[in-house]
Amino acid sequence: MRAQRVLSKECESCLNQAFHQARSAHHEFLTVEHLLLAILEVPRVREVLAGCGADLDQLGADVRQHVAANTLLRVPVPGEEHFVQPLPGFQRVLQRAVFHVKNSGEREVGVVDVLVAIFSEEHSHAAFLLAGAGVTIRDCGH
């Protein structure tokens, strides 16, 4: 029996990208903002946000600036493996997306599902930046 895929390949790729970027930058933690940066590169997410009138270049720049200014750095130790710790908000966003998809009868969590789940993480700067770009959860088709 084959295991059922929960995350779309595109979503898995974005998660891997977020982890890789955080690790490469020697960030201690993986945040909702790292996740937003990764999904901002996906054409479907860009299409949804552009349809809302969001300035994608400005939004990306704002998220990158926030990550650079507010993420704890870890001093690399030669020969030591560096693991990036996902923060609870990051984990809640993914759990919310999975819960929503399972309850709606869909088979896979896509990147737009993750985008929608970010809005529920009200205390994240990612949700604040999306709102500041004029994007609402209704704009995302949910």
Side-chain angles (χ1 to χ4, degrees), residues 1-141:
M1 182 177 204
R2 209 170 105 197
Q4 183 179 7
R5 175 184 296 280
V6 176
L7 300 176
S8 69
K9 287 185 179 185
E10 191 172 53
C11 199
E12 285 179 4
S13 176
C14 285
L15 290 175
N16 287 333
Q17 180 183 347
F19 271 102
H20 177 73
Q21 287 178 345
R23 187 173 176 192
S24 295
H26 302 290
H27 291 163
E28 186 79 26
F29 299 107
L30 187 62
T31 66
V32 177
E33 292 74 28
H34 286 101
L35 184 55
L36 179 57
L37 274 177
I39 68 172
L40 280 176
E41 300 303 317
V42 176
R44 177 69 184 126
V45 170
R46 295 183 68 77
E47 177 184 306
V48 167
L49 294 174
C52 302
D55 180 338
L56 297 172
D57 293 333
Q58 185 62 55
L59 179 59
D62 290 346
V63 178
R64 281 189 294 282
Q65 188 278 328
H66 174 78
V67 168
N70 296 287
T71 304
L72 291 176
L73 297 177
R74 182 178 185 281
V75 177
V77 177
E80 183 180 283
E81 186 70 22
H82 169 58
F83 296 100
V84 179
Q85 177 67 41
L87 287 177
F90 180 92
Q91 295 171 326
R92 283 190 302 267
V93 165
L94 294 178
Q95 289 168 346
R96 241 182 250 111
V98 169
F99 181 77
H100 171 75
V101 166
K102 286 191 179 255
N103 283 339
S104 69
E106 298 293 321
R107 298 180 71 115
E108 291 183 334
V109 174
V111 290
V112 174
D113 299 308
V114 172
L115 176 63
V116 169
I118 288 173
F119 284 97
S120 294
E121 197 60 33
E122 296 171 353
H123 297 293
S124 77
H125 208 73
F128 172 78
L129 290 172
L130 285 167
V135 181
T136 67
I137 196 167
R138 285 185 286 289
D139 295 329
C140 298

